[in-house]
């Protein structure tokens, strides 16, 4: 099987993990929750620091969650998250979604949040997710779509941020506008029963704007992203500094508003 060749554009800087630890099953996997049953075996791919993983584990108390990620360091964060909640039904492993180390028909639910936008072959990833899912089970995928991000006021420099991020992500082998493509990818992967939906995140209160703007101001200049942007010829340090400053200007706008659309697919295996 092919191995992962895309680069995780964001990296695992503290500002990135600060964003990821905000995620819950309620705000990031609501489209899946009605399909969960207490006994289910769940595979959570790209678990990151484990906040969604822990929520899923609590919803399948008689089942088990296997949480996987390509980054061993972030799995340690996930282990700590699960331990803090006194959950005992979670296992962890390093794994590549293109070539999962599990037998056919191993899980009732295979879940991936914000993963396919970063992989080199999303259709193959979905084929692997389908392979390890039991007949009649669910493959659940949710991804952002950067081209749909919208904000107010139209702060100078924010358009430059979006253009640059999409360029860097594609140069790294990913597809930042993945949300709109999930249904098509699922059909290409062989699924015939696909329910496609959408949901949003929106940041508008003073606290939300301060949090969202500061983490993007920081991650724009964090080494994982900044080095790839500069070394790939997409930006220089000055451009990154201006984008970071633009985020901070937007963040203090009292009428500031930012929305992000996500595509979702719930596929029957």
């Amino acid at each position: 099987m092919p191995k992962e060749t895309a680069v995780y554009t964001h990296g695992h800087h503290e500002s990135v993990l600060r964003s990821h630890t905000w995620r819950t099953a309620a705000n990031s996997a609501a489209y899946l929750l009605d399909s969960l049953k207490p006994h289910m075996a769940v595979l959570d791919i790209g678990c990151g620091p484990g906040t969604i993983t822990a929520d899923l584990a609590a919803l399948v108390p008689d089942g088990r969650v296997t949480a996987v990620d390509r980054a061993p360091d972030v799995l340690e964060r996930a282990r700590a998250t699960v331990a803090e909640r006194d959950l005992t039904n979670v296992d962890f492993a390093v794994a590549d979604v293109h070539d999962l180390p599990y037998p056919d028909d191993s899980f009732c639910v295979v879940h991936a949040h914000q993963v396919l936008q970063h992989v080199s072959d999303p259709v193959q990833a979905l084929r692997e997710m389908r392979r390890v899912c039991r007949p009649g089970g669910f493959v659940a995928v949710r991804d952002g779509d950067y081209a749909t991000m919208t904000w107010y006021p139209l702060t100078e420099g924010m358009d430059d941020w979006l253009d640059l991020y999409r360029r860097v992500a594609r140069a790294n082998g990913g597809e930042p506008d993945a949300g709109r493509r999930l249904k098509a990818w699922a059909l290409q992967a062989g699924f015939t029963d696909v329910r496609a939906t959408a949901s949003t995140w929106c940041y508008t209160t003073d606290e939300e704007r301060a949090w969202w703007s500061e983490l993007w101001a920081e991650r724009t200049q964090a080494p994982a992203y900044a080095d790839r942007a500069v070394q790939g010829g997409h930006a220089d340090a000055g451009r990154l500094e201006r984008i970071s400053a633009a985020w901070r200007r937007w963040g203090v706008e009292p009428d500031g508003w930012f929305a992000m659309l996500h595509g979702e697919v719930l596929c029957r295996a």
Side-chain angles (χ1 to χ4, degrees):
M1 291 288 184
K3 292 290 186 178
E4 173 70 72
T5 57
V7 173
Y8 184 52
T9 299
H10 298 297
H12 290 99
H13 185 264
E14 189 278 332
S15 59
V16 177
L17 294 179
R18 194 160 74 242
S19 170
H20 291 183
T21 55
W22 168 83
R23 299 171 182 174
T24 65
N27 68 30
S28 300
Y31 70 104
L32 166 64
L33 301 188
D34 287 345
S35 300
L36 293 177
K37 306 299 179 187
H39 67 277
M40 284 181 160
V42 179
L43 176 63
D44 188 23
I45 297 172
C47 68
T51 49
I52 298 175
T53 305
D55 286 350
L56 295 177
L59 293 168
V60 292
D62 302 322
R64 195 149 197 91
V65 175
T66 299
V68 302
D69 203 285
R70 289 186 66 238
D73 290 350
V74 82
L75 282 176
E76 293 305 312
R77 291 284 294 266
R79 286 189 177 93
T81 299
V82 167
E84 287 167 5
R85 301 194 194 184
D86 294 323
L87 296 163
T88 59
N89 60 335
V90 185
D91 300 310
F92 300 91
V94 176
D96 171 11
V97 68
H98 291 97
D99 188 12
L100 294 167
Y102 303 106
D104 297 356
D105 308 337
S106 293
F107 301 96
C108 306
V109 174
V110 182
H111 169 263
H113 184 263
Q114 307 285 32
V115 172
L116 294 193
Q117 64 183 281
H118 298 294
V119 307
S120 58
D121 190 343
V123 174
Q124 171 59 24
L126 282 161
R127 289 192 188 110
E128 272 293 275
M129 295 171 75
R130 183 181 180 216
R131 179 186 67 77
V132 301
C133 190
R134 296 170 186 168
F138 295 96
V139 171
V141 177
R142 184 175 190 257
D143 263 279
D145 193 302
Y146 276 73
T148 69
M149 291 188 182
T150 187
W151 56 85
Y152 185 86
L154 302 181
T155 306
E156 183 179 357
M158 293 285 283
D159 282 334
D160 195 29
W161 158 73
L162 183 56
D163 175 71
L164 177 62
Y165 177 82
R166 293 170 77 209
R167 288 175 184 272
V168 173
R170 289 194 170 115
N172 287 341
E175 175 45 72
D177 303 340
R180 69 189 65 191
R181 293 170 164 83
L182 295 182
K183 180 181 178 182
W185 289 341
L187 293 173
Q188 291 173 50
F191 290 100
T192 57
D193 184 348
V194 179
R195 183 163 69 90
T197 55
S199 59
T200 61
W201 290 338
C202 187
Y203 308 102
T204 185
T205 67
D206 291 348
E207 294 78 11
E208 290 167 347
R209 287 196 322 276
W211 176 77
W212 186 241
S213 63
E214 184 58 29
L215 70 85
W216 270 107
E218 291 180 27
R219 66 205 283 182
T220 295
Q221 295 186 287
Y225 178 76
D227 290 351
R228 289 162 189 152
V230 172
Q231 293 169 12
H234 308 289
D236 58 21
R239 184 180 182 187
L240 295 174
E241 174 62 37
R242 290 190 294 274
I243 290 171
S244 184
W247 268 109
R248 291 190 169 102
R249 288 197 303 274
W250 173 83
V252 297
E253 292 283 356
D255 52 358
W257 179 93
F258 191 106
M260 177 179 181
L261 182 73
H262 295 78
E264 304 156 344
V265 288
L266 188 63
C267 312
R268 277 279 191 181

